[in-house]
Amino acid sequence: MSDNRDARYMALALAQAREAAAAGEVPVGAVLVRPGRGGAPDEVLAQAYNQPIASHDPTAHAEIVALRAAAAAVGNYRLDGCELYVTLEPCAMCAQALLHARIARVVYGAREPKTGADGSVVNVLRHPALNHHTAVEGGTEAEACAALMQAFFAEQRARARREAVPLRDDALRTPESAFEPVWAAEPDWRQAQRWTQSGTVLDGLRLHWLDLAPAAPSPEAPVTVALHGPNGWWPEWLDWAKAQVADGQRLLLPDLIGFGLSDKPKKARWHTLARHAEVLAEWLQQQTTAPLRLVAPPAMEALAQAIAQRLPCRPVGVLVQQPPEPTGLPAEWRELPYPDAGHHAARKAWPWPERG
C-alpha cells in the first residue's frame, strides 16, 4: 500500500474527526474502504465520526458507526478484504468488532495510551490466540491526529474554566456525584436541572431547581412551584411531581438555599424566613410572568405565604399539602446533600426566625 494512498484516506478520516469536534464529540474519524481489484478503483463504503453523546449510545465510536454503515451498504456483516482508516488507535471494543467483520487491514493515526488495543493497553488486533488476524499499521498522519485531540481537550478544559461557577467563601456545595442514586430513579429529569446565581438577594449563592414542562405549555397556564420541607429537598415531591407532569402541568421544584443541590451557607444565622422568601420571590420573577400556584407542606406554609406577599401584582395561590413518601429512592435519600456537619446549617437553624 502506498504512503500517498494511506495519507489520502487518513485525510478523509481527519475531516470526519473535525466533524466530531464541531459536534462536541471526542474527535475521532473513520473511513472504511474496499480496495479495487483488477485495476478497478477503490470504493469508500463509509465515513463516520464519534457520536456516543448525540446518539446516547456508548458503542457509537467512529469505527463501529463505519462498520454498521459499510455492512448495510454491502448487505453482509463480513467485510472481507476491506480496510479501515481511523485517526486514533482503536479501543478493545472496536478492535474486536473489526476482527468479527474480517477487516483485512487497519491503519490508525495517533496512539491511545489509556484505551488503545494495538498494544498501548491491551493487544487485541494482533493477539495470537484469536482466530482472525488483521494487518495493522499505526502512526499514519499521527501528528495531525494527535494535534486535533490535544486541541479539542485543551478547549474543553478552557471552557470548563470559563463556565466554572464560583462558590462564595462562606458557603459549601455538595459534589454532584453525591446525587447519582436519585438520578438513577428518574434519569430523564437530570436534563431538567437549572441553576442561577443572579439576583440581589442570592448575592452569588447558587440556587438549583428542576423545570419540568409539558411539550407545549400554554403561556397563560398557571405554573406550579412545590416547596420542600425543612428535612427534605426536591425529591420529596417525586411521585406527586410525576403525576403533575403527566397531567400537562409546568412544575418548578426548587432546592431552597442550604438544601439539596443549592449552595449551603455555613452560618445558621443566614437562614431567616424573610431571606428565603425574598430569594424565591426574586427567582420566580425571573422565571415566569404566569400565575403561580405555590404548593407547600404544612411546615412551609408561612414561607409560601411570605413569597405570595412579595409578589403583589401576580395571581398567586397557596396550597398546603403533605407530599407522599417518594418511592424508588434509596433509604438514605434525605441525607445525600449533607456529606459533613458543615452542610447542615439550614436544618440546624430550623425553625427559622422571621428576620435575623
Side-chain angles (χ1 to χ4, degrees), residues 224-282:
T224 299
V225 183
L227 306 178
H228 62 75
N231 194 37
W233 50 298
W234 76 258
E236 187 173 284
W237 292 100
L238 180 62
D239 289 358
W240 177 85
K242 290 179 184 177
Q244 299 298 307
V245 173
D247 195 39
Q249 302 293 318
R250 182 185 175 194
L251 184 62
L252 303 180
L253 298 178
D255 285 328
L256 304 185
I257 293 296
F259 297 85
L261 282 88
S262 290
D263 284 355
K264 301 171 179 65
K266 298 176 185 177
K267 302 297 184 183
R269 63 174 176 269
W270 188 94
H271 298 280
T272 67
L273 187 69
R275 181 171 284 131
H276 279 281
E278 288 161 5
V279 164
L280 292 171
E282 187 175 42

Side-chain angles (χ1 to χ4, degrees), residues 164-175:
V165 179
L167 177 65
R168 279 178 26 172
D169 290 341
D170 62 345
L172 297 168
R173 184 174 297 161
T174 306

Side-chain angles (χ1 to χ4, degrees), residues 49-288:
Y49 58 81
N50 256 13
Q51 45 191 286
I53 298 173
S55 63
H56 309 294
D57 180 358
T59 71
H61 290 192
E63 301 96 311
I64 302 294
V65 178
L67 285 172
R68 288 171 177 162
V74 303
N76 195 334
Y77 76 102
R78 298 294 199 202
L79 297 168
D80 293 287
C82 292
E83 302 172 350
L84 183 98
Y85 292 83
V86 61
T87 57
L88 190 68
E89 180 183 357
C91 69
M93 173 186 73
C94 295
Q96 189 64 67
L98 293 167
L99 296 179
H100 281 310
R102 300 298 191 261
I103 295 298
R105 182 169 179 255
V106 175
V107 181
Y108 66 85
R111 284 277 185 183
E112 172 46 277
K114 295 183 178 179
T115 62
D118 184 42
S120 290
V121 176
V122 294
N123 190 344
V124 175
L125 289 172
R126 310 187 208 217
H127 198 290
L130 294 174
N131 68 336
H132 176 74
H133 301 103
T134 183
V136 185
E137 185 166 346
T140 300
E141 302 296 325
E143 290 186 6
C145 295
L148 183 58
M149 293 287 287
Q150 291 162 0
F152 175 80
F153 285 110
E155 171 56 26
Q156 293 286 94
R157 291 190 293 271
R159 180 179 301 160
R161 288 192 294 270
R162 291 194 300 269
E163 296 176 356
V165 179
L167 177 65
R168 279 178 26 172
D169 290 341
D170 62 345
L172 297 168
R173 184 174 297 161
T174 306
E176 291 185 33
S177 58
F179 303 101
E180 289 301 323
V182 166
W183 296 126
E186 201 62 45
D188 291 344
W189 285 16
R190 187 194 291 265
Q191 307 305 316
Q193 290 188 101
R194 304 290 184 270
W195 287 271
T196 185
Q197 288 181 283
S198 64
T200 303
V201 189
L202 277 174
D203 192 25
L205 292 170
R206 188 176 74 162
L207 181 74
H208 171 269
W209 74 97
L210 266 61
D211 190 337
L212 303 168
S218 168
E220 292 80 25
V223 174
T224 299
V225 183
L227 306 178
H228 62 75
N231 194 37
W233 50 298
W234 76 258
E236 187 173 284
W237 292 100
L238 180 62
D239 289 358
W240 177 85
K242 290 179 184 177
Q244 299 298 307
V245 173
D247 195 39
Q249 302 293 318
R250 182 185 175 194
L251 184 62
L252 303 180
L253 298 178
D255 285 328
L256 304 185
I257 293 296
F259 297 85
L261 282 88
S262 290
D263 284 355
K264 301 171 179 65
K266 298 176 185 177
K267 302 297 184 183
R269 63 174 176 269
W270 188 94
H271 298 280
T272 67
L273 187 69
R275 181 171 284 131
H276 279 281
E278 288 161 5
V279 164
L280 292 171
E282 187 175 42
W283 164 68
L284 285 168
Q285 287 174 326
Q286 297 167 356
Q287 300 311 307
T288 179

